[in-house]
Amino acid sequence: MDTHSLFAFEQSLRGKRVLVTGHTGFTGSWVCLWLSYIGAKVAGYSLAPDQAPALYEEIRAKELVEESVFGDVCNYGTLKAAFDQFEPDVVLHLAAQPLVRRSYREPVSTFLVNAMGTAHVLEAARLTPSTRAAVCITTDKVYKNNEWAWPYRENDPLGGKDPYSASKAAAEMIIDSYRASFGKSDGTGLAIATARGGNIIGGGDWSEDRLVPDFVRAVISKSQLTLRYPDATRPWQHVLALVQGYLMLLAGLLNEPDRYARAWNLGPQDPRSFSVREVLEDLSANWQRPDLDYMQAPLPEAGALALDSSLARNQLGWTPPWNTRRVVAETANWYRDYYASPADAKDISLRQLQSWRADLATAGN
């Protein structure tokens, strides 16, 4: 690739050694694709893919990663050995138990992975001399949800009524303690940022108990899709929007650690809120419509949750180019094209990445 065609944040990461935890997951696979595309040196530490299909396998992401270690972030010894072996410049910590409803079934393991796993990653990072910065991914659900009519800001109180949300809020407190205890104003300490993103959708997600994967399974199996809380609104955004934000934060921490070492909201730019029902209708319009059934869930979930991302827009320059309807359409298009030709998953994904970057360049002019 012509380096002159790279964005400034991409140029900062080109040639850098980037360790991605959770690289075999949905978001991690897109991260590996983008980092490889711009010429970064990528290593991964993660559990092996536990489902089929898995985006990591479908796009042959192992060809994009220089070193890959299958391990649990709860195993500090194996994790630190991976740091010692790769000697990363920066770390993107994605590894997590990301499902709210699973956290009800497995609360202890959720706390172990999301809270203590984060502590392990930061401890390994601070004890690795080459590592200068880490971006830790949490969630919009770290906030104490008061069902407010206005979006949450980075300085609003944290909380969590379910094990998943509480585990991520606990991770934020661990991160803040490492930032306060081991960061240094002269830039010699570990610079740490957290990214609090909303719900993401995009091609290649086959996780359990998520809206788009459930929709895809219903289409492919020609079965009924039962929806809980169809009128609940969520911050729908494409996975590439968050990947872009993560890479911009990594670059920012390398260049101006004091400015970027903090918490950042990464919520959708679209001023209109979209309900679960609307997203399903748009997916159907762009692909196929399964048989839909509506119900109320037996477990509590937030009815409305939005983020104020003005800090990221104004100080980070984070401006994702696709609105919600484009995001939903591109997501449906990815699955449509994939199921027409599964062997082309990598090319399909690369085309979407290139389309995203082209629209980002146009929006910036």
Side-chain angles (χ1 to χ4, degrees), residues 28-340:
S29 298
W30 280 102
V31 166
C32 291
L33 186 71
W34 196 329
L35 285 172
S36 175
Y37 186 79
I38 64 176
K41 299 176 182 178
V42 189
Y45 183 93
S46 179
L47 298 176
D50 61 354
Q51 62 183 15
L55 185 62
Y56 182 80
E57 301 289 354
E58 297 303 309
I59 66 171
R60 305 186 299 281
K62 63 182 178 182
E63 300 172 4
L64 310 175
V65 178
E66 292 191 5
E67 299 181 30
S68 182
V69 176
F70 290 152
D72 192 328
V73 290
C74 293
N75 186 331
Y76 178 75
T78 304
L79 176 67
K80 185 59 169 69
F83 271 80
D84 293 341
Q85 177 177 330
F86 187 65
E87 297 181 326
D89 298 305
V90 294
V91 177
L92 179 59
H93 176 40
L94 289 164
Q97 194 298 93
L99 302 175
V100 173
R101 293 171 76 86
R102 180 186 290 181
S103 78
Y104 282 100
R105 300 193 303 269
E106 304 170 8
V108 173
S109 63
T110 297
F111 279 102
L112 286 173
V113 172
N114 292 349
M116 285 308 301
T118 296
H120 287 168
V121 169
L122 292 179
E123 182 69 0
R126 85 173 181 93
L127 295 179
T128 302
S130 64
T131 305
R132 298 166 53 192
V135 173
C136 297
I137 310 310
T138 60
T139 175
D140 57 350
K141 297 177 180 64
V142 297
Y143 292 107
K144 181 180 179 182
N145 194 342
N146 297 307
E147 300 290 346
W148 286 335
W150 55 86
Y152 291 86
R153 298 166 296 178
E154 286 87 351
N155 60 351
D156 282 324
L158 304 184
K161 295 181 180 179
D162 59 83
Y164 170 75
S165 301
S167 71
K168 285 296 193 175
E172 286 274 359
M173 295 184 68
I174 291 169
I175 293 162
D176 194 50
S177 72
Y178 265 80
R179 185 162 44 224
S181 299
F182 306 113
K184 297 179 181 178
S185 59
D186 61 4
T188 61
L190 181 67
I192 309 169
T194 61
R196 302 168 180 172
N199 288 2
I200 54 172
I201 60 176
D205 187 4
W206 286 282
S207 302
E208 66 171 301
D209 201 24
R210 280 183 177 166
L211 182 66
V212 172
D214 287 346
F215 171 86
V216 171
R217 283 185 282 267
V219 169
I220 297 305
S221 65
K222 301 185 184 306
S223 60
Q224 185 181 74
L225 173 58
T226 299
L227 302 176
R228 61 179 186 273
Y229 296 122
D231 296 315
T233 58
R234 289 290 183 268
W236 310 105
Q237 53 195 330
H238 199 274
V239 60
L240 288 175
L242 291 189
V243 175
Q244 177 191 328
Y246 302 160
L247 301 191
M248 294 180 82
L249 284 174
L250 285 173
L253 290 173
L254 284 173
N255 297 323
E256 298 181 74
D258 285 349
R259 179 181 179 187
Y260 292 98
R262 55 161 301 152
W264 299 84
N265 282 343
L266 299 178
Q269 310 295 297
D270 199 322
R272 180 188 165 189
S273 296
F274 284 74
S275 68
V276 168
R277 188 193 307 268
E278 290 176 296
V279 169
L280 264 294
E281 293 296 337
D282 278 4
L283 284 170
S284 299
N286 283 282
W287 188 20
Q288 297 180 42
R289 181 185 177 85
D291 182 19
L292 301 177
D293 181 42
Y294 300 95
M295 64 170 288
Q296 294 297 311
L299 298 177
E301 291 190 9
L305 201 153
L307 297 177
D308 181 340
S309 300
S310 55
L311 182 70
R313 288 197 303 273
N314 297 333
Q315 295 194 26
L316 188 61
W318 179 70
T319 53
W322 294 352
N323 64 22
T324 303
R325 292 207 181 276
R326 176 76 182 278
V327 166
V328 175
E330 294 290 349
T331 299
N333 292 343
W334 191 99
Y335 287 104
R336 179 201 64 203
D337 294 345
Y338 168 81
Y339 280 102

